[in-house]
């Protein structure tokens, strides 16, 4: 009978494996990428903390001028100075509001264009007008409702809303909820001022409009 010798496989020494140096290099690359990622995350967190530590130091993202139509009174919020009500007429000078939007989020400050007083809410929930609006009591957060109205909740006193009763008098924030009509407002352009979209509407020119233009008398 033939003698079959067992097959012996001689493995090369470990230092001669070509894959080991590649693996080490791969791990080094991953290590440096991880260190760089952690450093970038730390720098970003440091940037955010420094720029959100004091919201009063933030630059304004946008400044708008409009009116706040009260769903309860059918009139507009007006800032007379220290006193604020929702009995303003459309286009009234005290009903023109300068709304300052902060850089981060939907936090706003509302100032009367004529009186230069801000709408603020004190610790008792009372709505007052103040000439300095840098305090947190003068910051409100916009909440957009399903019925196309907007509610303004205090940024400092959670759950307390800006609201007015049927006589136009301010309601205490502690007695308000988002579902009440007293806290529902609608943004409106001042009387006589066109909506920005209105300025870009085009008029279709037809034979009738051309004839009307020819017959239109010239002004001296």
């Amino acid at each position: 009978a033939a003698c079959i010798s067992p097959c012996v496989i001689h493995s090369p020494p470990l230092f001669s494996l070509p894959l080991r140096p590649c693996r080490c290099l791969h791990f080094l690359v991953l290590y440096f990428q991880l260190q760089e990622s952690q450093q970038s995350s730390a720098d970003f967190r440091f940037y955010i903390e420094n720029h959100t530590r004091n919201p009063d130091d933030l630059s304004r993202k946008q400044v708008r001028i409009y009116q706040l139509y009260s769903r309860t009174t059918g009139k507009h919020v007006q800032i007379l100075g220290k006193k604020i009500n929702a009995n303003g007429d459309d286009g009234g000078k005290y009903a023109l509001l300068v709304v300052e939007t902060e850089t981060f989020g939907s936090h706003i400050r509302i100032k009367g264009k004529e009186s230069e007083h801000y709408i603020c809410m004190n610790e008792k929930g009372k709505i007052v007008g103040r000439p300095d609006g840098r305090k947190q009591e003068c910051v409100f957060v916009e909440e957009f409702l399903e019925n196309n109205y907007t509610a303004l909740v205090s940024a400092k006193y959670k759950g307390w809303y800006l609201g007015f009763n049927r006589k136009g008098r301010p309601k205490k924030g502690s007695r308000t909820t988002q579902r009440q009509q007293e806290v529902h407002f609608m943004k409106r352009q001042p009387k006589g001022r066109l909506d920005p979209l209105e300025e870009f509407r085009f008029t279709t020119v037809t034979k009738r409009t051309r004839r009307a233009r020819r017959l239109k008398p010239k002004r001296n």
Side-chain angles (χ1 to χ4, degrees), residues 7-21:
C7 180
V8 179
I9 300 175
H10 298 280
S11 60
L14 294 177
F15 59 84
S16 64
L17 286 175
L19 296 178
R20 189 175 182 83

Side-chain angles (χ1 to χ4, degrees), residues 121 124-127 159-161 171-177:
M121 181 183 293
K124 297 181 180 179
K126 185 178 180 181
I127 302 298
W160 291 8
Y161 289 82
K171 291 191 64 175
K172 284 189 175 183
S174 58
R175 299 179 180 177
T176 60
T177 62

Side-chain angles (χ1 to χ4, degrees), residues 13 48 50 54 148 181 202:
I48 293 297
N50 283 348
N54 189 358
N148 295 327
Q181 293 187 3
F202 295 91

Side-chain angles (χ1 to χ4, degrees), residues 5 33 45 77 89:
S5 60
Q33 288 180 349
R45 288 196 300 269
V77 176
D89 295 327

Side-chain angles (χ1 to χ4, degrees), residues 63-66 96-100 109-113:
V63 176
R64 297 165 292 172
I65 297 178
Y66 56 75
L96 294 179
L97 307 177
V98 180
V99 182
E100 302 169 351
R109 290 179 171 89
I110 305 174
K111 180 179 69 173
K113 186 178 180 181

Side-chain angles (χ1 to χ4, degrees), residues 66-79:
Y66 56 75
Q67 301 176 129
L68 277 180
Y69 173 82
S70 172
R71 186 178 183 182
T72 307
T73 63
K75 293 195 173 185
H76 300 82
V77 176
Q78 60 179 0
I79 306 174

Side-chain angles (χ1 to χ4, degrees), residues 75-108:
K75 293 195 173 185
H76 300 82
V77 176
Q78 60 179 0
I79 306 174
L80 304 176
K82 293 183 179 181
K83 295 184 178 181
I84 302 171
N85 60 48
N87 295 322
D89 295 327
D90 186 11
K93 62 180 182 179
Y94 291 103
L96 294 179
L97 307 177
V98 180
V99 182
E100 302 169 351
T101 305
E102 292 186 355
T103 304
F104 295 98
S106 56
H107 292 65
I108 64 173

